[in-house]
Amino acid sequence: MAENTRDHRDSQGGAGRSEYHGVPANALPLTAGEDRQWATLAHFGGILGCVPALLIFLIFRDRGPFTAQESKEALNFSLPPTIAAVVANILVFIPVIGNIFAVIATLIWIALTCFSVAAGIHVNKGQPHRYQYNLRWIK
């Protein structure tokens, strides 16, 4: 097997170069199943905040239309509560009223988790999901 690879490389005039040298780094489009899978994961990622939706949007937006649409929707929905939860978690360190902000941060996380899981289940069926309350900062 190694000899065939070596012969293949030598026959192309590139002794010492790999057979993949010069291949463009363009990613292949997602299949329909992969497109639905990444769109679903973008919504389920809301459990962890806006970072999973952001990463999926940046990596897969050009590879699948459903993933682009749903990851943008998930990112727009999860960004404001994530920012609010981070601020609330910072304000937890205020001596007298810190416990109130701890409860607020917990309630934000619970609401974000419930809405994200419901959207993920809906998108996993192949249907687009629009959050009722969404700022849609990213167009």
Side-chain angles (χ1 to χ4, degrees):
M1 178 72 180
E3 291 178 14
N4 291 339
T5 305
R6 190 176 304 124
D7 291 340
H8 178 68
R9 283 185 277 172
D10 291 340
S11 68
Q12 293 182 356
R17 288 186 359 200
S18 75
E19 63 184 277
Y20 300 108
H21 182 74
V23 176
N26 296 339
L28 296 173
L30 297 173
T31 64
E34 291 171 338
D35 202 15
R36 191 177 77 232
Q37 173 190 8
W38 284 109
T40 301
L41 289 174
H43 285 285
F44 281 146
I47 296 169
L48 302 175
C50 66
V51 175
L54 175 64
L55 291 175
I56 291 171
F57 177 70
L58 292 175
I59 294 170
F60 294 106
R61 68 179 170 198
D62 296 329
R63 294 181 58 194
F66 192 58
T67 298
Q69 171 188 335
E70 293 304 317
S71 63
K72 184 171 30 173
E73 183 74 11
L75 177 60
N76 278 323
F77 177 74
S78 62
L79 186 61
T82 301
I83 293 170
V86 168
V87 169
N89 279 314
I90 292 170
L91 295 175
V92 163
F93 296 110
I94 297 176
V96 177
I97 57 173
N99 291 335
I100 295 170
F101 288 109
V103 171
I104 290 172
T106 303
L107 292 175
I108 290 171
W109 179 75
I110 289 171
L112 187 58
T113 298
C114 292
F115 285 119
S116 296
V117 168
I121 291 170
H122 192 251
V123 169
N124 193 35
K125 296 176 184 175
Q127 303 166 347
H129 183 77
R130 299 280 286 187
Y131 292 98
Q132 186 174 2
Y133 303 106
N134 199 347
L135 294 178
R136 293 183 180 83
W137 288 343
I138 300 168
K139 301 289 180 194

